Amino acid sequence: MTTENAQLGGIDAEGLKNLAAKNIEKPEHGHKVVKSKTVCESGFRNQNYVRDHQPFLISEPHKLLGDDEAPNPTEIALGALGSCISVGLMANATKRGVTLSTIEVDVEGDIDISATWGVGDLDEDKRLGVSHLRINVNLDGDADQATLQEITDSALKWSPVLNTFTRPASCESTLTVGE
């Protein structure tokens, strides 16, 4: 979906400036805990709960034995990545006083699913998960191409979700039985 010659609704430039200043002054304020809760409805159908929002469904396509009623986990992760980049594009444009008329982020990735969730091909040398991302940004606004490229480069560099994909996170897990 492309909006031709229209201005996208912007964000509060003063609020952005204040948020940035607060996080520069006290970087510890920028460290948060994010949470979600996933509850299996049946098979590969999962309702996901985040803060006080309505739950959202994540499912698997028919070829992966799901009901195909919603995007699968990897598709949701790619959508989260595209959305995070879009947020960064808007913030960086706002900081530079650029008004954008188009933000579109296409994301695709290569994934090896032959391990089939730990019950398939379990070759130890496998690279599980998304191994290569291709991100195409379509950006337009009242700035020259060099400025739009700077906005894009900054959004990609500082995207928390892109950094989650490209820099491994530590992980700890616990098991609770029968609550």
Side-chain angles (χ1 to χ4, degrees):
M1 175 187 291
T2 302
T3 306
E4 297 292 332
N5 299 320
Q7 177 178 319
L8 295 176
I11 59 172
D12 175 9
E14 190 63 28
L16 178 65
K17 181 179 174 183
N18 292 339
L19 179 61
K22 181 178 90 170
N23 287 330
I24 289 169
E25 183 179 316
K26 294 186 177 181
E28 66 274 10
H29 287 215
H31 295 264
K32 306 291 182 193
V33 173
V34 293
K35 298 178 184 182
S36 71
K37 180 176 184 174
T38 300
V39 178
C40 180
E41 287 186 339
S42 70
F44 291 155
R45 266 182 86 83
N46 293 284
Q47 288 292 345
N48 294 271
Y49 300 84
V50 177
R51 292 184 280 138
D52 295 330
H53 295 287
Q54 290 293 316
F56 58 95
L57 181 64
I58 297 178
S59 182
E60 291 286 353
H62 295 297
K63 67 183 177 183
L64 294 178
L65 309 176
D67 61 13
D68 203 19
E69 293 291 317
N72 71 28
T74 304
E75 292 163 334
I76 293 288
L78 294 182
L81 174 56
S83 295
C84 186
I85 292 168
S86 178
V87 166
L89 293 165
M90 180 62 79
N92 278 271
T94 300
K95 179 181 178 185
R96 289 172 172 80
V98 173
T99 300
L100 297 175
S101 57
T102 301
I103 299 176
E104 295 176 357
V105 182
D106 294 317
V107 181
E108 64 180 35
D110 300 328
I111 186 170
D112 179 351
I113 60 166
S114 61
T116 320
W117 309 292
V119 298
D121 177 7
L122 302 178
D123 179 354
E124 290 296 322
D125 293 329
K126 283 198 170 296
R127 165 107 163 88
L128 300 179
V130 174
S131 61
H132 184 79
L133 291 167
R134 289 171 296 285
I135 302 167
N136 181 52
V137 175
N138 179 10
L139 193 63
D140 199 7
D142 62 0
D144 61 20
Q145 184 172 352
T147 301
L148 294 175
Q149 186 65 57
E150 290 171 4
I151 289 168
T152 301
D153 293 346
S154 183
L156 292 170
K157 178 179 181 178
W158 297 104
S159 164
V161 178
L162 182 55
N163 276 280
T164 298
F165 270 94
T166 60
R167 295 170 37 180
S170 63
C171 181
E172 59 185 69
S173 65
T174 58
L175 170 66
T176 305
V177 178
E179 265 190 20

